[in-house]
Amino acid sequence: MTDQPIDALTEEQAASEAADLRPQILKWGQQYYDADAPVVEDDVYDRVYARLVALETVFPAIITPDSPTQRVGGSTRGDLPKVTHEIPMLSLGDVFSIAELKEFDERLRSNVEDDFDYNCELKIDGLAISLRYENGKFVQGSTRGNGQIGEDITANLKTIKSIPQTLSRPLTIDVRGECYMPKAAFLALNERREAAGQAPFANPRNAAAGSLRQLDTQVTADRQLATFMYNIADYEPLTTRTQSGLLDELAELGFTTNATYQVAHNMADVAAYIDQYQGKRGDLPYGIDGIVIKANSLPLQRSIGATVKVPRWAIAYKFPPEEVETVVRDIEWTVGRTGIVTPTAVMDPVALAGSTVARASLHNPDYLEAKDIRLGDTVLLHKAGDIIPEISQYVVAKRSADAQPYPVPTHCPSCGAELVHLDEEVALRCINPRCPAQLAEGMNHFASRNAMNIAGLGPQIVSQLFDRKLVDDVASLYRLTTDQLLTLDKFGEKSAQNLLTAIDNSRNNSLERLLFGLGIRHVGAKAARSIAAEFGDIDHLMAADSESISAIDTVGGIIADSVVTYFASDQVQQLIADLREVGVNLTFTGDIPATDSEGQFAGQRVVLTGKLQELTRPEATEWLERHGATVTGSVSKKTDLLIAGEAAGSKLTKAQSLNVPVWNEAQLQAAMDETK
Ligand code: IVH
């Protein structure tokens, strides 16, 4: 990925960059969705994805149908049971201007004999969900997935207050709509995450998706998600025959629907609606990214039909990116874990597309120079891809006569070492391996949840540890004493003891956590796991050449080379020796996550339902899958076994009616004990 400002690119350059990014994103995406842990860290994926979105937003003509941004949705993550949508969940076609909207209207009208109305609705920026009700009872909720197969997120959806458990009429229906995180909840959540040293979510949609597509219902319950329902798979059971009537009828049934819809007789009405809500966008308590217009008659919708992906009777008008003015007060230079020194513009805070923005990355010195941003400049700020704050340009008329070009630093803001450009990189780097900022960033990563998982060791504590010279590398963490920790701000006996225990416990982690935690370039949690499982201990890994590392299925040459280069360094070898000396485990002790095609459950479709007492759902699912089972979300004739915990409901009844064998939790435990 280059960091060239997008508006400095020609369409050709943008197309060529996008063509490079797409296969990379698709590959990472598959690795992410097919397994628990991604090969690259989320923020790398997010940044590259956002760059592609931004390129395609600025140059819509370069969008290709197979672009990852055009897929019906995220694929399914392996660890959630799958649900087949009997009637597929469609996406929407996009237009970006009123002219294109008019073309859509003309095309449609030329194919429809009679006059017809549209229903205009807000396009809620969330995650599409489908809710199944049987005889008026909520039985299953799912994500869209790829449109045909989604994920079973029933348990999580049950924690959302706006989803009725029982309808006012005993209908059997699949109702579709959007699950979203209100702006206020999103901002509060990110504040909490940043305070806890976790990466903030890029936008409310990612936050909503992340909250639903994980396995702990308590987490979902705490996230204050909400829903607006707007569609039904089959309208027959309803009395209404219009889209606007459908929204009313869904509300009568007990759903939350968005009340802002309006019926439009013509394009002038549609344009007025767009105008109205584009203006109100910032005031709404939830994010919207456009307007959806739908042929209002449901029978007409049916007769017009759909392509494989999108209905022909509806279209989304996407808002152009919002732009606001603010003033640059400072340019901050921060040193990342890999030594890259990045400038960030610090500006007067402004409200922009649903959040308050006060910082925007200036990426690297070339970018800064090309944009020629100076202290005190008034700048235009927008969100690239509606996500990442980006300065478009300074306002020439408002620049003060004595504003000076911003001097790029020549020395590291943390350690004072001279900064360099490696291999013609645009990035400015500090290559001092003992640079405190890099070490501190590296330690934050080392302690993070997917790495050594040292609870309580967040950025604020890490920076104090370095400032007070209590640590100088990750090995020295294991030599800390209670007395030393007591010198930290707000630390008492108990907090010192807790932190020491957490550090101490991390000594026993399996090798893959350490490998990931060391922050070797390109090595994500998944690659770390594959490598650790393959080599078994660090000595075998350190003796391995690039070829034998890249022979591992999920590990490519770039990762393998990076691992070899890393361990070739004297400083790294010293660090490993130190880690060994302080008693950090250097062997792989995790379970090998292979599925057992010969296993006790080989080829069997198993469904879990009800509340398990001793096991968690993920534990049971993981164990079953490891022993050959496919764990699915709904009971059908094809189900081989239902495992029913306490308070099992409709799935148990259904399994019994289909003569599917049913186990209780104790029987599952017994099977697990037997194979131990
Ligand atoms: S209608 C066949 N209506 O936008 C019906 N979608 O970019 C297709 N969305 O997949 C969807 N608000 O997740 C519809 N009022 C609305 C919507 C809406 C948000 C989402 C939905 C859809 C995506 C397409």
Side-chain angles (χ1 to χ4, degrees):
M1 185 171 86
T2 74
D3 267 339
Q4 282 223 38
I6 289 171
D7 44 15
L9 298 177
T10 63
E11 186 165 302
E12 243 174 32
Q13 287 170 322
S16 139
E17 187 183 336
D20 288 342
L21 297 182
R22 287 184 193 114
Q24 182 78 78
I25 292 173
L26 285 167
K27 190 167 152 235
W28 286 342
Q30 278 157 4
Q31 288 162 337
Y32 178 87
Y33 288 117
D34 292 348
D36 239 359
V39 170
V40 289
E41 286 162 57
D42 283 0
D43 69 316
V44 177
Y45 180 92
D46 289 348
R47 252 188 294 129
V48 175
Y49 190 88
R51 173 82 180 177
L52 178 61
V53 171
L55 285 165
E56 293 181 341
T57 307
V58 178
F59 298 101
I62 68 169
I63 299 175
T64 57
D66 61 352
S67 175
T69 60
Q70 306 302 300
R71 284 178 310 177
V72 172
S75 310
T76 55
R77 217 181 153 132
D79 44 14
L80 287 162
K82 308 281 183 288
V83 175
T84 302
H85 302 302
E86 306 274 325
I87 299 179
M89 289 181 75
L90 299 174
S91 180
L92 285 171
D94 282 337
V95 294
F96 296 88
S97 67
I98 300 285
E100 284 175 282
L101 199 58
K102 284 189 174 146
E103 282 169 24
F104 165 83
D105 175 52
E106 279 158 20
R107 239 185 354 260
L108 201 53
R109 289 196 188 276
S110 70
N111 288 319
V112 175
E113 259 176 37
D114 299 325
D115 190 20
F116 62 89
D117 290 336
Y118 289 107
N119 193 51
C120 304
E121 298 172 20
L122 302 183
K123 186 169 184 310
I124 311 299
D125 198 8
L127 179 81
I129 55 167
S130 185
L131 307 175
R132 178 156 184 84
Y133 288 80
E134 285 174 5
N135 301 317
K137 296 269 179 278
F138 178 46
V139 292
Q140 188 173 58
S142 50
T143 64
R144 182 173 54 196
N146 65 9
Q148 314 280 337
I149 298 175
E151 299 151 315
D152 188 332
I153 50 166
T154 313
N156 286 344
L157 290 175
K158 280 195 173 160
T159 68
I160 298 176
K161 292 188 199 76
S162 63
I163 296 181
Q165 296 302 310
T166 309
L167 304 181
S168 61
R169 278 159 36 212
L171 300 182
T172 294
I173 44 175
D174 288 298
V175 176
R176 274 115 191 230
E178 208 75 359
C179 180
Y180 67 94
M181 185 176 287
K183 288 175 185 171
F186 170 72
L187 292 174
L189 171 65
N190 266 358
E191 241 171 58
R192 287 199 302 275
R193 287 177 72 85
E194 281 183 297
Q198 296 167 314
F201 284 110
N203 56 42
R205 177 156 38 87
N206 288 8
S211 309
L212 284 177
R213 300 182 60 255
Q214 52 82 44
L215 297 152
D216 185 345
T217 51
Q218 191 52 49
V219 169
T220 319
D222 291 342
R223 294 278 171 89
Q224 299 173 50
L225 297 173
T227 56
F228 286 125
M229 304 311 287
Y230 47 67
N231 196 13
I232 191 159
D234 173 6
Y235 60 75
E236 294 302 341
L238 299 186
T239 56
T240 184
R241 289 296 174 261
T242 60
Q243 174 66 28
S244 50
L246 177 143
L247 294 174
D248 295 341
E249 197 167 341
L250 289 181
E252 283 161 24
L253 285 169
F255 296 101
T256 304
T257 54
N258 190 295
T260 60
Y261 70 85
Q262 265 166 38
V263 175
H265 303 298
N266 50 43
M267 280 295 114
D269 292 350
V270 171
Y273 182 84
I274 291 179
D275 233 32
Q276 186 186 354
Y277 282 97
Q278 201 158 316
K280 286 188 188 161
R281 184 179 178 189
D283 303 330
L284 294 171
Y286 43 83
I288 58 172
D289 57 346
I291 300 293
V292 185
I293 65 167
K294 306 175 178 176
N296 198 32
S297 153
L298 299 178
L300 180 62
Q301 290 183 0
R302 186 174 283 179
S303 78
I304 297 172
T307 71
V308 257
K309 282 186 119 177
V310 298
R312 292 196 172 88
W313 44 264
I315 197 92
Y317 168 85
K318 297 298 257 318
F319 291 135
E322 247 181 75
E323 213 160 41
V324 288
E325 273 189 13
T326 182
V327 177
V328 175
R329 299 294 175 194
D330 192 12
I331 292 178
E332 240 176 53
W333 295 80
T334 46
V335 189
R337 175 155 64 86
T338 56
I340 294 182
V341 182
T342 311
T344 302
V346 182
M347 300 158 293
D348 291 342
V350 274
L352 176 62
S355 66
T356 304
V357 178
R359 305 168 65 81
S361 178
L362 294 168
H363 307 293
N364 56 57
D366 286 10
Y367 183 97
L368 174 62
E369 197 182 328
K371 292 260 163 176
D372 188 20
I373 309 288
R374 305 180 185 184
L375 296 185
D377 271 352
T378 297
V379 291
L380 293 177
L381 191 67
H382 68 269
K383 281 192 183 167
D386 236 15
I387 301 175
I388 297 178
E390 192 172 83
I391 294 181
S392 330
Q393 62 188 95
Y394 70 86
V395 180
V396 181
K398 294 193 179 173
R399 171 170 280 177
S400 96
D402 51 10
Q404 295 299 313
Y406 190 90
V408 172
T410 51
H411 291 80
C412 175
S414 169
C415 68
E418 197 168 338
L419 298 174
V420 298
H421 287 279
L422 286 185
D423 307 329
E424 313 285 307
E425 274 183 350
V426 277
L428 200 56
R429 275 183 194 270
C430 168
I431 52 167
N432 170 12
R434 312 237 37 107
C435 166
Q438 286 175 62
L439 293 173
E441 285 294 323
M443 190 169 289
N444 289 332
H445 173 72
F446 184 80
S448 66
R449 204 163 48 89
N450 285 331
M452 295 298 269
N453 195 20
I454 306 178
L457 188 60
Q460 279 156 9
I461 294 172
V462 167
S463 80
Q464 287 186 58
L465 290 174
F466 275 97
D467 288 350
R468 296 171 198 204
K469 308 226 176 333
L470 297 176
V471 292
D472 54 5
D473 63 14
V474 292
S476 57
L477 268 180
Y478 294 92
R479 299 199 182 92
L480 285 170
T481 63
T482 313
D483 285 348
Q484 287 176 319
L485 290 183
L486 284 173
T487 66
L488 301 182
D489 295 348
K490 300 199 197 114
F491 256 66
E493 283 288 342
K494 195 162 164 24
S495 36
Q497 204 43 54
N498 286 346
L499 183 52
L500 276 190
T501 308
I503 294 173
D504 195 31
N505 288 342
S506 75
R507 281 193 171 94
N508 302 325
N509 285 339
S510 181
L511 176 62
E512 67 276 18
R513 286 187 169 275
L514 175 67
L515 263 191
F516 177 55
L518 288 173
I520 307 167
R521 234 176 139 193
H522 303 304
V523 178
K526 171 120 189 285
R529 187 177 177 86
S530 311
I531 295 170
E534 177 67 24
F535 289 96
D537 63 45
I538 203 130
D539 297 310
H540 283 92
L541 174 60
M542 288 171 82
D545 58 13
S546 175
E547 231 168 43
S548 53
I549 300 175
S550 62
I552 303 172
D553 243 5
T554 49
V555 179
I558 298 179
I559 295 180
D561 287 347
S562 166
V563 171
V564 171
T565 313
Y566 179 80
F567 284 115
S569 138
D570 289 346
Q571 277 152 336
V572 169
Q573 290 174 11
Q574 185 55 52
L575 176 65
I576 302 297
D578 288 349
L579 286 167
R580 194 188 303 271
E581 198 187 303
V582 294
V584 172
N585 169 51
L586 302 174
T587 59
F588 178 71
T589 56
D591 287 329
I592 308 228
T595 51
D596 179 357
S597 57
E598 308 268 277
Q600 178 182 2
F601 291 92
Q604 297 209 26
R605 294 167 73 95
V606 181
V607 176
L608 287 164
T609 189
K611 193 162 170 40
L612 302 178
Q613 299 298 315
E614 304 277 316
L615 293 160
T616 65
R617 248 328 148 91
E619 269 171 346
T621 306
E622 200 180 279
W623 186 87
L624 286 162
E625 286 177 347
R626 237 187 297 129
H627 292 83
T630 306
V631 179
T632 66
S634 54
V635 175
S636 72
K637 282 189 298 238
K638 291 190 195 142
T639 307
D640 297 298
L641 175 67
L642 177 80
I643 297 173
E646 272 189 21
S650 62
K651 288 186 194 169
L652 178 58
T653 331
K654 190 161 178 193
Q656 286 164 337
S657 74
L658 292 168
N659 276 334
V660 170
V662 178
W663 280 11
N664 59 24
E665 185 177 352
Q667 286 169 292
L668 174 62
Q669 296 260 19
M672 292 170 103
D673 290 343
E674 253 170 54
T675 49
K676 257 185 199 159

